[in-house]
Amino acid sequence: MRKIVSLFTGWLLLCCFTAMAQQPGGKAAPTSTGVIYGKLLDAQTGKPIEYASVALLRPDSSVQTGMLSKTNGDFSFENIALSKYILKFNFIGYETIYKVAVLSAKTGSIDIGNVKLKANVKSLAAVNVVGERPAFTMAIDKRVFNVDKNLSSIGGTATDVLKQVPSVNVDIDGNVTVRNGTPTIFIDGRPSTLTLDQIPADAIQNIEVVTNPSAKYDAEGMSGILNIVLKKNKKAGINGVISAGATSLGSTNGGIDFNLRQEKFNFFLNYNVRNRKSPMTSRLYRKNIGADTTTYTEQLEDGDFYRKFQTGRIGFDWFIDNRNTITVSENITGGNFNKYNEQTVNELDAKQQKVRYGTGIDNTLNGFRNYTTQLGYKHTFAREGEELTADFTYNYATGDNSSNYSLTYFDLSGKPIYDPKKPELRNGSGEGKTTYLTAQLDYVRPLTERSKIEMGLRSNTRKFDNFTNTYGQNYPSGTFTLDSALSNNYHYQEQINAGYISYTGAKDNFGYQVGLRAEQSNYDGETRLGQKSSYKISYPVSFFPSVFLSQKFKGDNEVQLNYSRRIRRPWFRDLLPTIDYSGQSASTGNPDLKPEFTNSFELSYLKDFAHKHNLLVSLYYRNTTNAITDFYVDTTLNLNGQVQHVLLQYPINASTRNSYGAEFTLRSQLTKSWDLTTNINLAQTKIDATSNGNNLSNQGITWFGKLNSNTKLPWNLTFQVSAEYESKQIMPQGEREPKWSADAAIKKDMLKNKALSISLGISDIFNTDRNLSYTTTSFSEQENYRKRLTRELKLNATWRFGKMDTNLFKRKNNKSKENNGEMGGGDNF
C-alpha cells in the first residue's frame, strides 16, 4: 500500500510543480546550461527511495521544474540554465529537506551525492504506529487500519476482514457493530447494495474506521462510519496479482488483478470468483406460559449455506494534464446465496415430555446482480493543497428469490397428523430491484500552511421495489392459495440532500477542526398488496455540528477531544411490513419507526514509547433519543388462513439509550521479528423502552477484546495468531451469552522479491463461534442457539508479476538506454 500511496502523492506533487513551472511570465533560458544529479536514500536503512518528489527552486523559492526519483533513488535535471538553485526533497513519511546548488561555467555538472531522508515521526496530519507499514494511522478525525498483511482473511470476504479490525464486532450472520453500536458501511466512500459477503477480501486495500465522524462525512450511523476502500493499482508499467485457494469445507476462490500505466493513462482490471460452503445448525427452545397450562416447543434446523458469486472491476484514470484527472470505473457482481435446511419441531407437555413432532424442510434461494458505475473528476490549483473533486456513483441491483417450506406432524407412533392449524406446505417466489444515485462535490482551500477550509454538497437517492408471492396448501383439499400475511409488494424511496463546511487550523502543537453539516430528507413507502397503504415523511433541515481538538506534547504524546451529532434512519427492512415466518417465530418491520439521534463525545490519548510500543486510549459517551431496538411480543397471526401463536420480533423506538465506555489499543514490537496488537473495549449501556404500555429497561457492562500476534520466522515465513472474546450483551428483554474464537495462519514467501506467497490458515480453531441468546416476555421464555461450522482449513497462493519501469515501452536508442541503465531490467515484485 505504501508504494501505491507514495506513487499517487508523488504524481500529485509533480503535477503541481510542473504546472507552476509552466506558468506564463518565466524568463527565457540562456544558451549555457548544466546538469544537477544525485541519489535519495533512507537514512536508517540505506535503501533507495523511489517516487519521491524533487523540486528545483529558484532563489526566490519559485519552482523551476520538478521530477520523481527513480526506482534506484536517482534523480537528475538536465539542460538547466546556469544559476543558483535550491533543491527541495519531499516524500510521504519523511522530513522535507533543502540543498543549495550553484551552476556556473566552471561547474556545469554538480553531483549532490547521496541525500539521506529521515523518517518524520511527528507529522501533524497523522501518527504512524511502529513498523515498516503501520498497523493503523490516527488523524484528527479518522483511523485507518491496513489489512493487506492479515493472513486470516486471505481468500475470504469483507466479513472475514472486519473480524480482524480493532473496535469492530461481526456476528455469525455478518451483522457489524462498532463499540456496541451500528455503523454506516460505505464502499469507497459511497453507499452500495453489496453485502459484506459479496465483497472479496482480496479486493480490499484498507478499512477506514471513523468512530466520531466530522461534518465532512455523512451524519448517518450511531457509532460512526466504516469505509471499505477497494484496491486500485496505480503502479507504473504492467503489473498484477494472480491468486487461488481452497478450503477443507469445499470452498474455492480465485482472482486476478491487472494494471497498466503509461504516460497519461492508468488502466486497471480485476476479477474474483468465490464458492463458499457453510454447514449450519440451530435450536430454538421455548417455554409457552398460558393462562392455565404451560407447554414447550423445540425447533431444530440443520443444513448448508452455499454462497457462489463472482465480481469484476474495470476502469481507467486519464491524466488530461498536470491539474485535471478523470476516473471511470465499472463494477459488476453476481451470484447465488442458497440455504437448504431440514427442520424438526418437537411439541412437549408441561413435564417436557414429547407429545408429537413434525419434520420438513425450510429452503431459500436468492440470486443477485449488482452494477456500479463511478465517474470522478479532480482539479488541482496552483496553490499547493487546493483542489476540487466531483464524482457521481450509479448503483443498480436486481435480485430474485424463492422459498420452499414444509412441515408434516406425526404422533409418537409415527402416524401422520393432519392438523388444519399446522400448514404442511408453502412455497414462494419474488424479485426486487434497488437503485442508488449519489452525486458529490468537494472543495479544499488552504489558507495558510497549517489551516484550510473545506466545503461540499451531496445528494443521495435510494429506491427499492420488492415483491414476494407466497402460496400455502389448504387442508383437506390440497389446493394452494395466496397467503397475504407472508406476501408483499412494496415500494420505498428516500432522498437525502446535504451540505457541509469545516475549518481546520493549528497553532504551535494545538490543532482544531470545527464544522457544520446540514441534511434534509424525504421518505415515502407504499404497500401494493391487499389493503393498500402508503406513507410520506419529510424531515426538515437538521444540523449536525462537529468539533475536534488535538494537543501534542513533548515525548510523542497527543490528546484529542471531539464531539459530533449523529442520526440513524430506519433501514428499508426496518420499515417493510412483511412477515418473515419460520417455525414458531416471526419478524416484521415497523412503518411507524422514526430516526434516532445521538450526541457523541470522545476523548483519546496516543502515546509512543521509543517507537516500539504505541498506546491509544479512548473514552466515549453516547446519548441517543428515539433509540431503535428490537422488541418481542407474543401474538397470534393469520398464516395460510389459520390462526397461529408465535413470538413476533419487530423494531421500535425506545425512549433513550445511554452508552459510555473505554477502549484500549496497544501495539508492541516485542522483538525485531514479533509484534503484538491488543484491543479491549469496555462499555456500560442502559436501554429504556416503552411499547403498548409496557415499560421495559435493561442495563449492564459489556466488553470485548481482540489479540493479533505476528511473528517473522526464518526462511521467509510469517506466523499469525488472532483471537477475540465478546462478553454477555444486554437486550431490552433478554441477553446474549459470551462467545470467543481464535484463528491461526502461516505464510511462506518464495522466488525473487517474494513474488510467490503460499499461506495455510485455520479459522475458528476450537469451533466455538456461535450465537446463544435468551429472551423473556410475559408469555414465554426462549433460548435461541445458532451455529455455523466455522472451523475451516484454508490454503491460498498468490503470485505477483510485472515491471515498475515507466520507460518499458519507450527505449528506442542508446541514449535512452544509458539514461535508464540501472532500470533496464525493471523492478520485479
Side-chain angles (χ1 to χ4, degrees):
M1 175 182 173
R2 181 173 178 176
K3 288 186 176 181
I4 298 174
V5 175
S6 302
L7 181 58
F8 178 82
T9 305
W11 270 107
L12 182 59
L13 292 171
L14 177 60
C15 290
C16 294
F17 289 142
T18 306
M20 293 171 68
Q22 293 174 346
Q23 294 301 308
K27 297 181 180 180
T31 56
S32 297
T33 60
V35 58
I36 301 175
Y37 60 93
K39 181 187 287 285
L40 281 178
L41 301 176
D42 186 298
Q44 182 177 1
T45 65
K47 294 182 179 180
I49 299 177
E50 55 184 331
Y51 303 113
S53 170
V54 185
L56 191 66
L57 309 179
R58 303 183 185 96
D60 62 355
S61 296
S62 61
V63 177
Q64 174 74 20
T65 186
M67 69 169 297
L68 300 179
S69 60
K70 299 177 182 178
T71 54
N72 60 359
D74 285 352
F75 64 91
S76 63
F77 297 99
E78 300 179 2
N79 299 319
I80 302 299
L82 302 182
S83 181
K84 180 179 179 180
Y85 296 98
I86 302 173
L87 286 94
K88 178 181 179 182
F89 302 94
N90 185 38
F91 189 53
I92 186 171
Y94 290 84
E95 295 179 352
T96 300
I97 65 173
Y98 299 85
K99 285 187 175 293
V100 177
V102 180
L103 283 177
S104 64
K106 293 183 179 180
T107 56
S109 177
I110 298 179
D111 183 0
I112 298 298
N114 292 334
V115 180
K116 298 182 179 181
L117 298 185
K118 296 181 180 180
N120 182 3
V121 297
K122 295 184 179 180
S123 172
L124 176 66
V127 178
N128 290 340
V129 182
V130 183
E132 58 180 357
R133 183 171 298 175
F136 64 91
T137 58
M138 178 177 166
I140 197 170
D141 58 357
K142 73 176 177 182
R143 298 159 194 161
V144 180
F145 293 84
N146 297 316
V147 298
D148 60 327
K149 289 188 176 181
N150 187 270
L151 305 184
S152 300
S153 60
I154 295 177
T157 66
T159 302
D160 303 301
V161 173
L162 287 174
K163 287 180 179 179
Q164 307 299 320
V165 178
S167 305
V168 180
N169 276 7
V170 184
D171 65 18
I172 63 173
D173 296 315
N175 299 313
V176 179
T177 58
V178 174
R179 296 178 175 176
N180 300 322
T182 304
T184 296
I185 298 179
F186 286 149
I187 300 176
D188 285 333
R190 302 293 176 264
S192 173
T193 59
L194 288 172
T195 67
L196 294 176
D197 269 341
Q198 295 171 359
I199 306 172
D202 299 335
I204 300 175
Q205 178 173 299
N206 57 53
I207 304 292
E208 296 179 347
V209 182
V210 190
T211 55
N212 204 9
S214 68
K216 180 179 180 179
Y217 299 93
D218 275 13
E220 179 77 28
M222 182 187 71
S223 60
I225 293 172
L226 284 179
N227 184 30
I228 299 173
V229 181
L230 301 180
K231 291 179 180 177
K232 184 179 174 185
N233 198 344
K234 287 195 174 184
K235 296 173 183 173
I238 294 178
N239 53 85
V241 177
I242 296 176
S243 62
T247 77
S248 58
L249 295 180
S251 302
T252 56
N253 66 87
I256 182 171
D257 186 354
F258 175 80
N259 186 78
L260 167 62
R261 177 169 181 174
Q262 187 185 14
E263 296 180 351
K264 292 188 175 183
F265 284 92
N266 175 60
F267 172 79
F268 55 91
L269 170 69
N270 55 61
Y271 170 79
N272 289 275
V273 61
R274 294 289 183 276
N275 184 13
R276 306 194 72 184
K277 178 182 178 182
S278 301
M280 55 193 297
T281 183
S282 67
R283 176 180 183 265
L284 186 149
Y285 193 79
R286 193 176 72 191
K287 179 180 180 181
N288 308 300
I289 305 173
D292 52 2
T293 185
T294 298
T295 61
Y296 296 85
T297 302
E298 181 183 47
Q299 178 182 332
L300 306 172
E301 287 195 355
D302 187 43
D304 293 300
F305 182 19
Y306 294 92
R307 289 165 287 177
K308 184 177 182 180
F309 68 99
Q310 51 188 331
T311 181
R313 193 181 190 208
I314 186 172
F316 68 88
D317 299 295
W318 177 24
F319 307 100
I320 303 174
D321 54 35
N322 291 336
R323 293 187 178 165
N324 296 279
T325 302
I326 290 179
T327 300
V328 178
S329 67
E330 178 71 26
N331 190 96
I332 302 175
T333 301
N336 299 90
F337 284 7
N338 301 329
K339 295 181 181 180
Y340 300 92
N341 288 309
E342 295 182 355
Q343 64 171 336
T344 300
V345 176
N346 298 316
E347 295 192 358
L348 304 91
D349 59 19
K351 297 181 180 180
Q352 302 187 50
Q353 299 296 316
K354 185 189 299 185
V355 295
R356 66 176 180 176
Y357 68 94
T359 61
I361 60 173
D362 186 6
N363 301 334
T364 58
L365 309 179
N366 295 277
F368 60 89
R369 298 292 184 274
N370 184 284
Y371 309 87
T372 302
T373 303
Q374 290 183 304
L375 174 64
Y377 168 75
K378 183 175 183 178
H379 174 75
T380 58
F381 297 83
R383 179 193 296 263
E384 184 177 357
E386 184 178 6
E387 63 181 38
L388 175 70
T389 58
D391 62 72
F392 174 80
T393 302
Y394 171 73
N395 188 274
Y396 178 73
T398 61
D400 57 80
N401 64 83
S402 63
S403 61
N404 192 357
Y405 176 94
S406 68
L407 185 63
T408 301
Y409 277 86
F410 301 87
D411 61 21
L412 296 184
S413 66
K415 182 180 179 180
I417 301 173
Y418 298 101
D419 187 342
K421 296 183 179 181
K422 305 290 183 181
E424 288 186 315
L425 183 64
R426 290 196 304 270
N427 56 65
S429 63
E431 62 182 37
K433 62 181 180 180
T434 305
T435 303
Y436 282 3
L437 294 173
T438 304
Q440 181 153 340
L441 183 69
D442 296 283
Y443 173 69
V444 181
R445 179 178 174 82
L447 303 178
T448 66
E449 289 186 0
R450 304 186 65 184
S451 66
K452 64 180 179 180
I453 189 169
E454 299 177 81
M455 59 186 69
L457 299 172
R458 177 165 175 162
S459 181
N460 184 37
T461 301
R462 297 191 281 194
K463 296 180 180 180
F464 303 86
D465 286 285
N466 183 282
F467 85 85
T468 299
N469 290 331
T470 301
Y471 293 87
Q473 187 178 39
N474 297 312
Y475 178 84
S477 66
T479 60
F480 286 85
T481 57
L482 181 69
D483 190 334
S484 59
L486 299 179
S487 302
N488 72 79
N489 189 338
Y490 196 80
H491 169 80
Y492 171 77
Q493 177 175 324
E494 70 176 33
Q495 174 77 42
I496 303 175
N497 301 309
Y500 75 90
I501 183 170
S502 68
Y503 175 82
T504 303
K507 183 176 182 181
D508 297 329
N509 289 325
F510 178 71
Y512 56 93
Q513 181 187 89
V514 293
L516 181 65
R517 185 179 187 89
E519 292 190 352
Q520 179 268 336
S521 55
N522 299 295
Y523 307 84
D524 65 81
E526 180 182 7
T527 301
R528 300 169 177 172
L529 181 67
Q531 185 177 355
K532 297 183 179 181
S533 63
S534 62
Y535 67 87
K536 289 187 177 181
I537 305 174
S538 295
Y539 292 104
V541 175
S542 297
F543 294 98
F544 301 92
S546 64
V547 179
F548 292 79
L549 307 175
S550 175
Q551 176 67 53
K552 292 180 179 291
F553 301 96
K554 293 181 180 180
D556 294 319
N557 293 270
E558 180 179 359
V559 174
Q560 292 186 1
L561 175 65
N562 53 58
Y563 160 79
S564 68
R565 186 172 187 248
R566 312 290 301 153
I567 185 174
R568 178 190 170 189
R569 300 177 179 91
W571 180 235
F572 167 61
R573 292 292 180 185
D574 294 329
L575 299 168
L576 187 63
T578 301
I579 297 174
D580 184 10
Y581 175 76
S582 177
Q584 306 299 311
S585 298
S587 62
T588 186
N590 180 5
D592 296 325
L593 208 59
K594 300 177 181 179
E596 65 176 31
F597 290 88
T598 298
N599 289 299
S600 180
F601 302 84
E602 184 173 341
L603 175 65
S604 298
Y605 171 74
L606 180 65
K607 169 64 177 175
D608 175 71
F609 299 90
H611 308 299
K612 291 185 178 180
H613 308 280
N614 305 90
L615 175 66
L616 175 64
V617 180
S618 296
L619 305 177
Y620 59 90
Y621 170 74
R622 295 194 300 260
N623 169 258
T624 303
T625 58
N626 285 335
I628 298 175
T629 188
D630 289 332
F631 184 76
Y632 296 83
V633 61
D634 290 277
T635 187
T636 56
L637 297 177
N638 191 310
L639 302 173
N640 194 31
Q642 305 296 333
V643 175
Q644 297 193 43
H645 188 79
V646 299
L647 183 65
L648 182 65
Q649 172 190 348
Y650 60 93
I652 65 169
N653 288 111
S655 300
T656 59
R657 181 195 296 118
N658 291 294
S659 300
Y660 55 89
E663 182 176 10
F664 305 84
T665 303
L666 175 65
R667 186 176 190 271
S668 298
Q669 194 73 37
L670 299 177
T671 68
K672 190 174 181 179
S673 58
W674 181 27
D675 68 84
L676 190 68
T677 301
T678 305
N679 176 254
I680 298 177
N681 192 306
L682 301 96
Q684 165 76 22
T685 300
K686 181 177 180 180
I687 301 175
D688 292 319
T690 301
S691 180
N692 297 327
N694 296 319
N695 294 320
L696 304 172
S697 66
N698 202 352
Q699 63 180 336
I701 297 177
T702 62
W703 71 277
F704 72 85
K706 290 191 176 185
L707 183 71
N708 188 289
S709 171
N710 292 279
T711 307
K712 293 182 180 179
L713 303 174
W715 309 294
N716 286 329
L717 289 171
T718 303
F719 180 61
Q720 183 181 90
V721 177
S722 59
E724 65 175 339
Y725 175 85
E726 184 176 349
S727 73
K728 180 176 66 177
Q729 304 290 308
I730 67 167
M731 300 182 295
Q733 297 166 273
E735 61 187 33
R736 188 170 66 241
E737 290 301 291
K739 63 177 184 177
W740 66 280
S741 64
D743 305 329
I746 190 168
K747 183 181 71 170
K748 168 70 173 177
D749 294 321
M750 295 176 285
L751 302 183
K752 183 180 180 181
N753 295 325
K754 303 179 181 180
L756 177 64
S757 298
I758 306 293
S759 66
L760 180 66
I762 180 170
S763 60
D764 196 12
I765 301 172
F766 305 101
N767 200 26
T768 54
D769 192 14
R770 53 90 180 107
N771 274 3
L772 176 60
S773 62
Y774 298 92
T775 305
T776 302
T777 71
S778 302
F779 305 99
S780 68
E781 297 175 4
Q782 179 173 287
E783 174 189 311
N784 193 352
Y785 171 87
R786 302 178 64 251
K787 169 111 180 78
R788 288 183 184 173
L789 186 56
T790 48
R791 182 164 56 191
E792 188 174 22
L793 194 65
K794 301 181 289 185
L795 178 66
N796 286 274
T798 301
W799 176 52
R800 304 167 186 84
F801 64 90
K803 305 283 185 180
M804 280 288 289
D805 189 353
T806 56
N807 295 307
L808 186 64
F809 310 105
K810 303 195 306 183
R811 296 194 183 94
K812 297 181 180 180
N813 52 55
N814 291 333
K815 182 178 180 180
S816 177
K817 291 180 180 179
E818 293 173 0
N819 292 337
N820 299 281
E822 290 187 27
M823 298 178 66
D827 182 12
N828 295 317
F829 62 100

